[in-house]
Amino acid sequence: MKTVVRGMFGIALAVITVAMFISSSMIVAADAGELNVSSYTMHGTIRINSDTELETLIATNLWNGSGTADEPYIIENLRIDAAGESNGIFIGNTTAFLVIRDCDVSGTVYDDIQYMSGGAITVYNATNIVIENNNCHDCRSGSGDGIDVLESNLITINNNTCSNVWWGITLIGSCNVTVTNNSCNGNVMGVYLYSSSNNNTISDNNCSGNFCGISLEWYSDHNIVSNNDFSGGNYSIYSYFSGNNSIMKNDCIRCLDFAIYLNNTYDTKVEKNDIIDGDGYGLYLASSDQNRIYENTIRNMTEYGIYLDNSSDDNEFTFNYLLNNHGASSEYNSSHVQAYDAGTNNWFFSTNYWSDWRAPDVDLDGIVDVPYVIDGGDSADGRPLSLLVEIMRPSEQLNVFSDDVHVTWFPKINVIAIAYYEVSIDGVNWITVNK
């Protein structure tokens, strides 16, 4: 007896279209609504260049903390309008433990001479700082940023809102930084890693409506970019001259040009991302080698779901799910192939699911008997999936003579869109099984 299981797909997406640019007269309060505005204390800009200056600031203002891990210094509940200065809060050259929280900072202007930045909150050559629950906004008129971390280590950036600024959160030459649960929306860049910013974790952030959601550039290596949400914008994730990164479990919805763009990127894992309903390319590789692309869902992109230029070599593509990209439907059309590969030796283009190539599978082994030919050169998926699940029991080639058969299976790839399964004994008559 051969048992066949197939997944049926239905997605209900609630997509919020975010305006690319927000008027500089607006203070975004949606994500900052939990801040108690009435408790703010108006304060001038803060400039600290040593542990001694930080200790003096805390003592003078009668603020809490002693600068230790157990009792960090606390800067909190301040309302700072930088009014065109280069930083709202600047902390430089410190090692003392410090928490900056529940502040509202705006109005900075980029200045590469004075204090090196333009961030509402800027950290330079410092360690042991937590930046949390702050609202950094309306710095764009002078190319100001939300939060800038420069040449620093062991920094935590959590649950902040950075809106209507140039770059939401920026790491330059900084390592071991954790950026989590932040909202960076309506900016030119959501989160930006530059110049050997290594071993950082960028996770669970909302970076929607930016020109680019998250960018890793110039040897920013060994970073984890995971579980971030992107809606709208021209790029969701961009990597340039960087490698050994892990890009996984991100939601890239309605991207206008490129959902994930690897440019001169190497040895990077791109896994279990959902790329859906975009007006451009799903995954685009330019001059990028030896990357592993697997278990991604790429659906309803107007251009190719996967595209490799002629300088991208030795990349591996396995167990990806491609549905209705480049004008493809459930019926194959040579004018609407879902992937393009002009590179060489991308030898492991295998075992992917293509919505327009599900048959023939005469032996019902879950693999289409004919390769899926990819545009651009000589590449083909030699083992295209006809099924999206693997039968665990009964085992293959096992004949079962019983009226009561226990069948178990699991999805082969990351298909969150399965609404229900259909099971067949003969491949003709199907029974619906709910998830």
Side-chain angles (χ1 to χ4, degrees):
M1 179 188 73
K2 286 280 188 176
T3 303
V4 181
V5 181
R6 64 188 184 191
M8 304 303 292
F9 300 89
I11 291 183
L13 293 178
V15 180
I16 300 174
T17 302
V18 181
M20 183 59 65
F21 296 104
I22 302 174
S23 167
S24 61
S25 65
M26 294 175 60
I27 295 179
V28 176
D31 291 313
E34 296 181 1
L35 296 178
N36 186 0
V37 178
S38 63
S39 68
Y40 285 147
T41 299
M42 300 300 295
H43 199 281
T45 57
I46 294 174
R47 305 281 188 259
I48 296 298
N49 282 290
S50 68
D51 280 320
T52 300
E53 289 186 13
L54 178 57
E55 182 181 8
T56 300
L57 173 74
I58 298 297
T60 300
N61 287 277
L62 302 179
W63 293 341
N64 295 324
S66 58
T68 66
D70 292 333
E71 294 184 353
Y73 293 131
I74 306 291
I75 298 175
E76 63 183 346
N77 299 325
L78 303 182
R79 171 69 180 97
I80 298 175
D81 182 355
E85 293 190 37
S86 58
N87 294 275
I89 299 174
F90 177 91
I91 307 295
N93 306 301
T94 66
T95 59
F97 288 84
L98 169 66
V99 176
I100 303 171
R101 68 188 182 198
D102 298 325
C103 295
D104 184 280
V105 189
S106 62
T108 61
V109 175
Y110 176 76
D111 183 347
D112 64 353
I113 299 176
Q114 184 185 22
Y115 304 112
M116 301 181 64
S117 179
I121 299 174
T122 298
V123 172
Y124 169 69
N125 189 34
T127 61
N128 306 318
I129 295 179
V130 175
I131 303 170
E132 61 183 5
N133 300 322
N134 300 285
N135 186 19
C136 304
H137 59 93
D138 294 291
C139 302
R140 174 174 291 171
S141 60
S143 302
D145 301 332
I147 299 171
D148 288 346
V149 177
L150 315 173
E151 300 178 26
S152 296
N153 187 40
L154 298 174
I155 309 296
T156 298
I157 304 172
N158 178 60
N159 202 36
N160 300 279
T161 296
C162 299
S163 59
N164 197 26
V165 297
W166 198 254
W167 296 337
I169 296 173
T170 302
L171 311 183
I172 298 179
S174 295
C175 303
N176 302 304
V177 178
T178 300
V179 180
T180 58
N181 295 303
N182 300 281
S183 294
C184 299
N185 301 325
N187 311 307
V188 175
M189 188 83 70
V191 178
Y192 184 34
L193 278 65
Y194 183 81
S195 185
S196 299
S197 289
N198 304 323
N199 298 302
N200 303 293
T201 298
I202 315 298
S203 65
D204 299 290
N205 302 284
N206 188 305
C207 298
S208 296
N210 306 290
F211 179 81
C212 180
I214 294 176
S215 185
L216 305 95
E217 300 185 22
W218 289 111
Y219 311 108
S220 292
D221 302 337
H222 300 286
N223 299 289
I224 297 174
V225 178
S226 66
N227 293 295
N228 300 285
D229 293 330
F230 308 91
S231 178
N234 296 74
Y235 298 75
S236 294
I237 301 172
Y238 179 74
S239 173
Y240 182 67
F241 277 101
S242 297
N244 291 293
N245 294 304
S246 180
I247 300 172
M248 60 183 182
K249 298 182 180 179
N250 300 284
D251 290 336
C252 307
I253 301 173
R254 292 191 176 177
C255 184
L256 300 177
D257 292 321
F258 306 92
I260 298 178
Y261 192 127
L262 306 184
N263 188 350
N264 285 276
T265 294
Y266 46 89
D267 296 317
T268 288
K269 293 190 297 183
V270 180
E271 58 179 303
K272 298 181 180 178
N273 300 282
D274 294 315
I275 301 171
I276 301 172
D277 292 339
D279 288 333
Y281 296 87
L283 179 63
Y284 193 103
L285 278 69
S287 301
S288 294
D289 304 330
Q290 297 180 337
N291 300 288
R292 186 183 181 194
I293 317 297
Y294 65 103
E295 292 193 42
N296 299 282
T297 298
I298 307 174
R299 178 185 178 119
N300 294 339
M301 303 300 293
T302 58
E303 299 294 340
Y304 289 101
I306 296 174
Y307 186 100
L308 294 85
D309 74 359
N310 59 8
S311 298
S312 294
D313 307 322
D314 300 308
N315 297 286
E316 176 183 334
F317 297 83
T318 55
F319 291 105
N320 298 286
Y321 166 69
L322 292 96
L323 177 67
N324 298 348
N325 302 291
H326 193 226
S329 65
S330 60
E331 301 296 329
Y332 178 77
N333 185 324
S334 60
S335 297
H336 298 287
V337 175
Q338 298 193 66
Y340 183 100
D341 180 11
T344 60
N345 200 28
N346 291 306
W347 58 272
F348 215 89
F349 225 124
S350 178
T351 328
N352 302 283
Y353 178 84
W354 311 87
S355 61
D356 53 342
W357 199 257
R358 297 171 295 175
D361 181 12
V362 175
D363 57 1
L364 298 179
D365 65 349
I367 302 296
V368 180
D369 300 331
V370 180
Y372 184 82
V373 177
I374 293 167
D375 280 352
D378 299 326
S379 289
D381 186 335
R383 291 175 53 82
L385 295 171
S386 65
L387 302 176
L388 293 174
V389 295
E390 180 174 347
I391 304 296
M392 302 301 296
R393 186 170 61 176
S395 60
E396 189 175 0
Q397 306 300 329
L398 177 65
N399 293 318
V400 179
F401 301 96
S402 174
D403 293 332
D404 185 10
V405 179
H406 187 186
V407 181
T408 59
W409 63 86
F410 71 93
K412 289 184 177 181
I413 57 179
N414 181 35
V415 185
I416 63 170
I418 293 179
Y420 59 89
Y421 296 97
E422 289 185 341
V423 180
S424 176
I425 294 175
D426 56 12
V428 176
N429 299 299
W430 296 86
I431 300 171
T432 299
V433 179
N434 294 324
K435 289 180 66 177

